[in-house]
């Protein structure tokens, strides 16, 4: 049996890159792009780059499969981005959104357990999840313990968490029928297509002049080729090798990396609470994966 440790490393790399996208997205937001425009641009570029190398199954084997690809594009793309970023936009305390979205690994594991009842969650997983969530909370709050009680913020944040959980569940089904390249390309296609109705309401305001700025162009390329094409593809491969529950645990590192990146690039302060939270998160993820085996 081949060792699975490289795929744990790949999961960690993907999670770390996604955590660092906070800074790149902030650059583009400051340049005048909306979150929906950023997602659409990065997905379009990633799709076009993939297409010459992955053009099998432009039309799926069946309409049911195409419908499941649509679900992947919605839950991993358009609706996920819209719910999360809308929540951030209206929240008085973004820590509320971050904390709820960071509960995604637990939500994924619970839904997975409800669907496949024969698969049980180990005590080490449950304990590790709780510890990792506590550590993540300390990182997210970073010494400023404020929560937003706006019901809409909570609902949208929960919707974003559920979106990624159902993305993972659907991915588990589709990885048995198609390779990771086809799945990733389809996610980008349906993610963009289902985002288009939003622009009929809000408009698309990105202009060619924005790309004349070096920082805008470089961050668009990073988000499109590394964070989207590279990491979605890597993540889809990882889940097929070590399972959706194990791989999802590494998402706890997203806020940790976001915090460190923001400190390095944006000079944002890191408190002792966040440092302790980082250590606790690492311990929690270790316990989560200690006895968790790949789900077939």
């Amino acid at each position: 049996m081949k060792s699975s440790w490289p795929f744990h490393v790949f999961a960690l790399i993907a999670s770390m890159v996604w955590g660092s996208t906070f800074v790149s997205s902030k650059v583009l937001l400051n340049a005048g792009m909306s979150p929906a425009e950023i997602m659409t641009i990065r997905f379009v570029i990633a799709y076009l780059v993939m297409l010459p190398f992955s053009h099998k199954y432009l039309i799926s084997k069946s309409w049911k499969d195409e419908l499941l690809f649509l679900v992947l594009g919605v839950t991993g793309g358009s609706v996920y981005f819209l719910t999360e970023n809308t929540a951030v936009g209206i929240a008085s305390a973004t820590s509320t959104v971050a904390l709820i979205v960071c509960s995604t690994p637990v939500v994924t594991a619970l839904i997975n357990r409800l669907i496949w009842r024969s698969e049980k969650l180990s005590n080490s997983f449950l304990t590790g999840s709780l510890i990792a969530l506590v550590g993540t909370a300390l990182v997210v709050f970073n010494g400023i313990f404020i929560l937003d009680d706006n019901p809409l913020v909570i609902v949208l944040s929960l919707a974003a968490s559920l979106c990624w959980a159902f993305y993972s569940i659907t991915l588990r089904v589709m990885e048995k029928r198609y390779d990771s390249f086809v799945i990733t390309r389809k996610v980008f296609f349906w993610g963009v297509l289902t985002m288009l109705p939003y622009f009929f309401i809000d408009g698309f305001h990105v202009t060619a002049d924005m790309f004349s700025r070096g920082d805008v162009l470089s961050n668009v390329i990073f988000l499109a080729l590394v964070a989207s094409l590279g990491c979605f593809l890597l993540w889809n491969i990882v889940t097929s090798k070590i399972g959706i529950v194990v791989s999802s645990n590494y998402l706890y590192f997203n806020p940790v990396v976001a915090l460190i990146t923001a400190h390095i690039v944006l000079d944002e302060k890191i408190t002792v609470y966040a440092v302790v939270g980082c250590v606790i998160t690492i311990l929690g993820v270790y316990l989560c994966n200690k006895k968790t085996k790949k789900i077939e």
Side-chain angles (χ1 to χ4, degrees):
M1 181 184 294
K2 293 183 179 179
S3 174
S4 64
W5 71 262
F7 300 104
H8 288 269
V9 174
F10 296 154
L12 180 59
I13 290 172
S15 179
M16 290 175 68
V17 171
W18 281 335
S20 70
T21 58
F22 163 77
V23 173
S24 292
S25 296
K26 195 160 188 176
V27 170
L28 300 184
L29 289 169
N30 291 338
M33 295 185 189
S34 70
E37 289 166 344
I38 294 171
M39 190 224 83
T40 302
I41 291 170
R42 59 191 277 192
F43 273 28
V44 166
I45 294 173
Y47 179 84
L48 293 176
V49 171
M50 282 198 78
L51 194 56
F53 307 98
S54 173
H55 44 265
K56 288 178 60 179
Y57 299 116
L58 290 177
I59 299 176
S60 302
K61 298 175 184 178
S62 68
W63 68 267
K64 291 182 179 179
D65 284 355
E66 199 65 55
L67 184 61
L68 289 174
F69 279 130
L70 168 62
V71 171
L72 286 174
V74 167
T75 56
S78 56
V79 174
Y80 172 79
F81 276 84
L82 286 175
T83 51
E84 183 179 45
N85 287 291
T86 301
V88 170
I90 64 176
S92 59
T94 57
S95 53
T96 303
V97 181
L99 186 59
I100 293 175
V101 172
C102 284
S103 68
T104 298
V106 176
V107 175
T108 301
L110 292 176
I111 294 176
N112 184 77
R113 174 70 177 87
L114 287 172
I115 295 175
W116 288 278
R117 289 186 170 275
S118 60
E119 298 172 358
K120 300 185 182 300
L121 301 176
S122 67
N123 290 332
S124 62
F125 172 84
L126 295 172
T127 302
S129 293
L130 179 60
I131 292 173
L133 199 55
V134 170
T136 301
L138 289 172
V139 173
V140 167
F141 288 119
N142 197 18
I144 304 174
F145 297 91
I146 302 175
L147 284 172
D148 194 318
D149 60 358
N150 184 334
L152 184 57
V153 171
I154 295 172
V155 168
L156 288 171
S157 301
L158 285 172
S161 179
L162 285 169
C163 272
W164 192 261
F166 279 108
Y167 173 83
S168 300
I169 298 297
T170 309
L171 185 61
R172 177 180 175 179
V173 174
M174 297 307 286
E175 67 189 17
K176 300 181 186 304
R177 306 179 191 177
Y178 299 87
D179 65 53
S180 297
F181 287 85
V182 172
I183 294 172
T184 305
R185 195 194 71 236
K186 286 284 192 177
V187 169
F188 296 149
F189 174 80
W190 282 112
V192 170
L193 204 64
T194 53
M195 184 65 85
L196 293 181
Y198 173 83
F199 295 121
F200 287 108
I201 300 171
D202 194 55
F204 191 82
H205 307 102
V206 176
T207 64
D209 291 340
M210 292 181 180
F211 296 95
S212 62
R213 289 175 45 181
D215 59 339
V216 170
L217 184 60
S218 61
N219 281 288
V220 164
I221 292 173
F222 169 74
L223 289 173
L225 301 186
V226 180
S228 293
L229 193 159
C231 287
F232 267 85
L233 180 58
L234 195 61
W235 191 260
N236 293 344
I237 292 172
V238 161
T239 57
S240 70
K241 299 298 183 180
I242 63 175
I244 60 171
V245 173
V246 175
S247 55
S248 292
N249 292 332
Y250 288 98
L251 295 176
Y252 285 120
F253 287 115
N254 280 8
V256 174
V257 178
L259 180 80
I260 295 171
T261 307
H263 174 70
I264 295 172
V265 179
L266 304 176
D267 199 30
E268 294 190 3
K269 183 181 178 182
I270 295 180
T271 68
V272 66
Y273 295 100
V275 174
V276 172
C278 290
V279 175
I280 293 175
T281 300
I282 293 171
L283 174 62
V285 173
Y286 169 75
L287 290 175
C288 279
N289 292 338
K290 188 176 181 181
K291 295 182 180 179
T292 307
K293 295 181 180 179
K294 177 186 177 295
I295 297 172
E296 300 295 341

